[in-house]
Every structure is written in C-alpha cells, then in structure tokens.
Amino acid sequence: MSVYAKKSLGQNFLNNAHYQEKIIKAILSVNEKPLILEIGPGRGAITQHLVPASEKFWAVEKDKELGAALAEKYSAVDHVKICIDDFLKVDLGKLFETRSPGQKIIAVGNLPYNVGSQILIKLLPLNDLFSHLFLMFQKEVAERCVAKAGTRDFGVLSAWVQLYSKASLLFKLPPNAFSPAPKVDSAFVSFELAPRYQAEQNRVIIELIKKAFQTRRKMLGTSLKAWRKLDPAWDQEFEGLWKKRPEELSLEQLASLALGYGGGKSK
Ligand code: SAM
C-alpha cells in the first residue's frame, strides 16, 4: 500500500483512536447491529471497528490501491463487500442487492472535503434506503448544515439538510486528529433522515431558496421579480414579504412562500 496520501482524493486519515471511538459510539447508539455503508474507507481506520459491529457492511472507495487492499483484507468475511468506485457515480440499487426489503442502512464517512457537500446532497433524499447519515466535514460546512434560518450561516445547503433531516453537530476535531493534518478544523455531524415535505415540494422549496439566496442581501421582491410576474395572485398574497431579505425568514415561511407559487407550474 502506498505510504503517500493522495491530496486529489482528500486523503486525511483518522489515526486518532479517541476520535475513532467517539464515532463508533455515536453510530452504535442508534443501532447495536447496524447495516453500514462506509464512503471512502481509506486505510480502514473506522472500518476496522464497524465491520465486527455490523450485520452487513458495504464500502465504496475511489482509490484503486486502497480499495484493493481492503477487499483483500476482508475477502474471507462474508458480510463485507468492498466496491472500488466513485461514490458519486455508484448505482446504489445494484450495490445493495443483498439487502432485505425494508432494511435501512446507516451511511458513514470521513469524507474528502472537496466532494463532501455533493455526497451529502446525493444521500439526503434517500430515506427509503438510509435511516441515518454520520459524516465528517470541514467545520464551516458542518456549521452551515445545522445553521438555523435567520442566521448568517444559513444558506442553500442548510435548507437541503433541514428539509430532509434532523441534523446535529456532534463534535469538532482539530487538524492533528488526522494524518496528514488538513489546514482546517473538522466536525462530525449526524443526520436522521425525515423529509418534511414530499419530494416534489422539497424540490420547489429548494428552487426558491436557491433563487432568493443567490443575492441574499437583496429584498425578496427584487430577487423573485420574475416569479412575481408569472403569478400575480401569488405576488399579491405574499406582498408583506417582498421588502424582507431571505435571511429574515424562517424555513417554514420560505417553504410556504415556495409552496404557494403556481406561476412556473413547477408544483
Ligand atoms: N475513512 C478513512 C479514514 O477515516 O481514515 C479515510 C478518510 S479520507 C478523508 C477520504 C477517503 O475517501 C479517502 O480514502 C479517499 O480515497 C476516498 N475518496 C475520495 N473521493 C471519493 C469518492 N468520490 N468516492 C469514494 N471514495 C472517495
């Protein structure tokens, strides 16, 4: 196995036993014998604890060399399947073929910082497959995940997270918990998947929030001008909000604004 970590794959290995233990404890507090998907197992720092604790274990690792070494290590362990692929491209239906219908999986990952949010957005709507996600992010991304509407950190990522899950920032980790040490602090976040609205409604709400937060210092009436023209009844109904900035509204207010819109026939 190469001794060098690949920067392009965001390889910062969690060698610190104290933090490994905290992660495992958090996951097993949800289910003592879980089905686990690990994203980016790397050299197996977390894998080594999760494999013996799980009923079934899948891992997806993009690094061919590290993936092959793990596949070799666990080749004789029946309940383990290591897949060498890019998680963003993997067909999850095919990967979980051996799952019994209705069984839910816990996804775990000390994610590469550059694709962490993309991986989270892929996972959040999949509440038919996953019950919980336990993921590591750069601290600022973790803080945005749990930021409440009406605060400076709240944005499109926060809306995604809070429309699809109940998220908690569990603990923060300093750079020296990892090897090589990244330049930034990290934080470990749990997500209990529980969509607030139906899939199509969530899609419309996110569309509106994206539009409104593209220019977050502008009044809603200005950033949503095109939508107001398309739906004069909506324009009138929500007149009281047009002088507000998006960051002054709660998520519920943003959602009801989006769900009231009919002009683009997107609902
Ligand atoms: N889990 C290990 C640990 O905690 O020590 C490694 C964590 S390291 C931060 C991220 C891991 O994700 C690396 O092993 C890297 O090769 C892998 N990786 C990067 N991009 C990936 C992708 N798109 N799909 C799957 N794995 C990926």
Side-chain angles (χ1 to χ4, degrees):
M1 205 188 302
S2 166
V3 290
Y4 298 106
K6 295 186 185 114
K7 218 173 168 182
S8 62
L9 288 175
Q11 293 181 348
N12 301 97
F13 301 107
L14 185 64
N15 295 338
N16 184 304
H18 167 70
Y19 287 109
Q20 290 174 8
E21 203 178 303
K22 277 177 87 96
I23 288 175
I24 306 306
K25 222 169 143 188
I27 296 164
L28 297 185
S29 74
V30 167
N31 184 340
E32 282 177 9
K33 201 75 183 159
L35 274 65
I36 298 278
L37 163 71
E38 188 181 357
I39 304 157
R43 294 180 182 151
I46 308 173
T47 323
Q48 61 181 332
H49 305 289
L50 289 177
V51 163
S54 57
E55 185 185 325
K56 281 193 179 138
F57 181 92
W58 296 265
V60 180
E61 171 56 61
K62 189 171 174 183
D63 184 317
K64 289 193 176 71
E65 198 184 355
L66 296 186
L70 274 185
E72 166 72 27
K73 177 172 176 183
Y74 292 110
S75 59
V77 187
D78 273 352
H79 73 286
V80 173
K81 182 175 162 63
I82 310 288
C83 166
I84 303 172
D85 207 341
D86 178 342
F87 182 72
L88 290 169
K89 294 187 183 148
V90 111
D91 175 348
L92 292 177
K94 213 163 162 208
L95 181 69
F96 297 131
E97 263 168 0
T98 56
R99 178 189 71 126
S100 312
Q103 279 188 312
K104 293 224 180 169
I105 299 161
I106 297 179
V108 180
N110 171 15
L111 301 178
Y113 295 128
N114 54 347
V115 287
S117 318
Q118 266 174 282
I119 290 178
L120 174 62
I121 285 170
K122 173 170 175 166
L123 292 168
L124 280 170
L126 304 179
N127 64 302
D128 52 339
L129 268 182
F130 300 102
S131 62
H132 296 76
L133 319 174
F134 285 89
L135 303 172
M136 185 85 73
F137 298 99
Q138 181 176 338
K139 188 187 77 176
E140 289 71 17
V141 175
E143 285 171 343
R144 279 199 271 129
C145 286
V146 299
K148 294 275 161 282
T151 67
R152 203 192 46 171
D153 281 346
F154 183 89
V156 179
L157 182 67
S158 331
W160 263 100
V161 166
Q162 292 161 40
L163 287 169
Y164 285 101
S165 73
K166 293 180 191 134
S168 311
L169 194 159
L170 298 183
F171 52 89
K172 296 179 184 169
L173 302 89
N176 68 8
F178 303 89
S179 172
K183 289 201 173 68
V184 293
D185 287 331
S186 303
F188 195 61
V189 185
S190 74
F191 305 84
E192 183 185 348
L193 297 195
R196 283 210 206 186
Y197 302 94
Q198 289 167 4
E200 181 53 20
Q201 293 177 313
N202 269 348
R203 194 192 64 70
V204 179
I205 299 167
I206 287 168
E207 197 187 335
L208 178 132
I209 290 178
K210 271 189 187 161
K211 187 92 194 124
F213 279 82
Q214 251 168 17
T215 49
R216 61 186 296 147
R217 303 297 306 153
K218 281 198 180 156
M219 289 187 294
L220 280 166
T222 309
S223 39
L224 298 174
K225 207 169 176 176
W227 291 39
R228 291 169 61 199
K229 276 195 189 143
L230 284 172
D231 190 345
W234 179 74
D235 184 15
Q236 212 168 12
E237 187 185 344
F238 289 93
E239 209 181 352
L241 296 184
W242 300 140
K243 291 219 164 96
K244 291 193 185 291
R245 298 198 170 92
E247 52 199 15
E248 292 176 273
L249 266 54
S250 67
L251 186 54
E252 290 68 28
Q253 281 175 307
L254 289 162
S256 77
L257 180 61
L259 295 176
Y261 178 68
K265 291 285 158 264
S266 48
K267 57 176 187 164

